[in-house]
Amino acid sequence: MAHDTAKTPTEAVLRLVGAANGTDRTTVTLSVDGREVGAAPLGVLERTEDLMTVFDRGVGDKDREHAGDKLYGALLGTGLDEHWADLRKCGTARRPLRVRLDVEPLELRCLPWELLRHRGQWLWRRQELLWRRGIDDDPLGAGELRELGPLRVLVVVCQPPDDDRLLAEREIAAISGALESAPGRTYLEILDAPRDAGQLSACIDELRPHIVHVIGHGMPRPGSDSPVVVFPADTRDGPDEWLLAAGDVADLTDWKPPLVVLNACHAGKADPADLIGGMARAFLDAGTRAVVSMQDDIESDAAVVFAEKFYTELSCARAVDDAVAAARSELARRPASRGSWALPVLLTRTAPGLVLPVDHLPPPGGSVKGIDQCKQYQELRRFVGRTDERRRAWWALDDPALVPSGTDRPVLVIGGHSQTNSEHTGKTWLTNWCLVTWFLRGHHIVSVDLKEPLAHPAGAAAAGPPTRHKDWLSVLRLIRQEATSPSQLCRLPETAFGTFNAVLNRLAASATPGDGEPEPAEDAWLAFDDEVGDPYDKRKTHIMDAFLDALRTAADGRPMVIALDHAETIMRGDFVNVLYKGLVSPVAYGHAAPLRLIVVGRDAWLNEVLPEADSHMLGRVSVGDFESDQFMRLARAYARRLGVPPDEGIEDLLEMINGQLAPHFSVTTFESIRAILPTWREARPQGAGR
């Protein structure tokens, strides 16, 4: 073989180029790791229009097999077969050979190369080969460095509300179930029927998604062969639809999503008269690193299978060609695939592993695996909806914009109010989702449930008996208890609070601060005696300062987020007069950097204790019950999280429940349904233990 076999090849490129003499002949070149090893003329394909009908209804597997054999014979059977046979031996299922097909002649791009078949084997389904189409790889520039997650995905739904809506909803549910079974690692938003290109553009530029997934209809542009994506307008005035043409893509947005997925019929086709090269190539030319599109109609159930497997792989940080290959294999296992596995086309201009340069960087001592081992975060797999609240809460403390927005606030208030008088509104789930997200972005996180009892050591009766509502000192001790607990994703050493303990021991029962710097000590668990000092003494201030110093020192310059859940269990006066002045306010005004604080409680309580004068310094998010028109989408997403997509019977039951709902329904509704549905009750949440 022409290339050096002493080194295992990593990538092969098959390039179809027109002849230099201007004839209709096309040459196939084979390069291995950047060095050309062979060239041969493209074989005879005869009637190429016949090859473009192999996915039509009524066309059988034998026709596709014949097309695949013909494509292989033309591409590799006229002089490159020996080179190719030797090269294939270098790939294994564990270390597959990456193969890129670069088709320059426009009239050949639309052929179904994914059907390549040799000696009874579909080459694009071989585990030892990872295929893609694409031009030469562009290296990432200085402005395209890897960034911290979560992986941001925007699903754009083109169908009108009453046209094939159920088909789109099932695909949305599959994407949701696959992505959000990885808490904190992914973030999903859905844009329904954007009214015009301006709204679509604004949404993409604001979210800056890593992936834009379009569900809709693609077709040739009226009066020409240029492809378009059809967006039915959901308005009473104006046209019934608007079109996004391939020629409009370059100027659509300032933000260029690294990956675009076009589940729009024919959006991947490139007609010889189309000078842009199809909608997929238009996105590639505009700066997108890779595009996944369908080269013909794909049935709705196949689209769901593809989307679920594809996004499951991406949520596990697989390269995009790995994810497409896995989804292709999943489609091939369907009893009646009718060639659907060959419909996805992966087109790239960047190496597959660099298409989605998203990293997770837990703080020192933390790990991604720890999330799956912590019960409070495992439950997040059933956390549905709250798209707007998730983004506002997460970005309030840690906006991932490449250029800081200047709106970050180090204190976030998460409130809740139920329109149905439910005890639960999802505040805790939202808080935990944000904590995991920040953890994976390198923040030290401390989760404190103020409803939990304070664990007094034996013989510490002087500190007072447990009470339903905690005083300020019990809150500090509970934060210390949880910050050093082995059950936390991040754990501080108990010695981090040694100096604070010493200050507390001196001042709890004495008005005399003592001489010199206190030596680190263990907490003597003395109760704070308000009768010792005068009304103006500074003992509480000194204790609060020592507590903040302990946390700042332990943070060691890294952002540390402390979440105080069920804040309404704190005595109102102690929160207002001590904790707000000594803890919340210093953090809010940047005097305790890098500390960040989350205060979680009922809206009514928060409105009483938070001063209006400081509202501009506090991020604020409130969650309530769900609106009833969200029920079916959320129910399907919830079922997908459980790993049991609704069958026809469950769909009918959900529709019946939907018809009986008031304008709002409680966040506990799905748990109630789960209790009475055996398939839901017995299901193991998708992604558990992954």
Side-chain angles (χ1 to χ4, degrees), residues 2-4 7-15 29-38 87 97-98 100 132 136-137:
H3 69 274
D4 182 7
K7 180 182 178 182
T8 302
T10 58
E11 183 180 67
V13 178
L14 285 161
R15 180 175 284 110
T29 65
L30 173 62
S31 301
V32 178
D33 291 338
R35 185 161 60 91
E36 184 176 316
V37 298
L87 187 61
L97 175 72
R98 284 193 155 99
R100 175 164 58 86
R132 59 185 168 119
D136 289 339
D137 292 340

Side-chain angles (χ1 to χ4, degrees), residues 405-476:
S405 64
T407 59
D408 293 359
R409 298 181 178 91
V411 173
L412 170 65
V413 177
I414 298 180
H417 171 73
S418 170
Q419 292 87 344
T420 62
N421 295 319
S422 173
E423 182 181 352
H424 304 284
T425 56
K427 303 185 301 295
T428 298
W429 275 11
L430 176 60
T431 302
N432 287 340
W433 185 87
C434 288
L435 286 174
V436 172
T437 301
W438 292 319
F439 170 76
L440 293 174
R441 291 177 60 81
H443 294 31
H444 186 111
I445 62 171
V446 180
S447 175
V448 182
D449 185 353
L450 293 168
K451 290 177 67 174
E452 291 296 312
L454 181 61
H456 297 80
T467 59
R468 180 179 179 184
H469 290 90
K470 293 179 172 62
D471 61 16
W472 66 272
L473 185 51
S474 295
V475 171
L476 298 189

Side-chain angles (χ1 to χ4, degrees), residues 135 276-277 280-288 349:
I135 59 178
I276 297 175
R281 192 165 288 269
F283 274 103
L284 211 67
D285 291 342
T288 290
R349 70 172 181 88

Side-chain angles (χ1 to χ4, degrees), residues 400-621:
L402 298 179
V403 179
S405 64
T407 59
D408 293 359
R409 298 181 178 91
V411 173
L412 170 65
V413 177
I414 298 180
H417 171 73
S418 170
Q419 292 87 344
T420 62
N421 295 319
S422 173
E423 182 181 352
H424 304 284
T425 56
K427 303 185 301 295
T428 298
W429 275 11
L430 176 60
T431 302
N432 287 340
W433 185 87
C434 288
L435 286 174
V436 172
T437 301
W438 292 319
F439 170 76
L440 293 174
R441 291 177 60 81
H443 294 31
H444 186 111
I445 62 171
V446 180
S447 175
V448 182
D449 185 353
L450 293 168
K451 290 177 67 174
E452 291 296 312
L454 181 61
H456 297 80
T467 59
R468 180 179 179 184
H469 290 90
K470 293 179 172 62
D471 61 16
W472 66 272
L473 185 51
S474 295
V475 171
L476 298 189
R477 284 171 166 152
L478 189 59
I479 295 173
R480 181 189 63 191
Q481 173 182 299
E482 294 306 302
T484 57
S485 170
S487 64
Q488 294 279 335
L489 279 177
C490 303
R491 183 185 183 187
L492 294 179
E494 294 187 6
T495 55
F497 294 92
T499 301
F500 161 73
N501 293 337
V503 172
L504 179 60
N505 292 341
R506 279 187 179 184
L507 298 179
S510 171
T512 304
D515 297 326
E517 195 71 22
E519 291 292 328
E522 293 185 1
D523 188 355
W525 284 85
L526 303 172
F528 189 86
D529 189 350
D530 280 299
E531 302 299 324
V532 171
D534 62 71
Y536 304 102
D537 72 29
K538 301 295 184 181
R539 288 184 299 153
K540 293 177 183 177
T541 300
H542 291 316
I543 292 172
M544 294 301 300
D545 289 345
F547 189 74
L548 286 175
D549 285 342
L551 291 173
R552 280 200 303 266
T553 301
D556 194 25
R558 180 181 298 273
M560 177 184 290
V561 184
I562 301 172
L564 303 179
D565 197 6
H566 300 107
E568 64 271 9
T569 61
I570 303 174
M571 296 179 183
R572 186 181 183 281
D574 281 37
F575 181 87
V576 172
N577 298 321
V578 184
L579 292 173
Y580 187 86
K581 293 180 179 179
L583 179 62
V584 180
S585 183
V587 174
Y589 280 88
H591 303 319
L595 299 184
R596 300 175 181 183
L597 190 66
I598 318 297
V599 181
V600 187
R602 297 190 184 96
D603 276 344
W605 185 85
L606 293 169
N607 292 337
E608 290 180 356
V609 300
L610 297 175
E612 180 65 28
D614 285 349
S615 60
H616 64 291
M617 298 300 299
L618 309 176
R620 187 78 183 259
V621 175

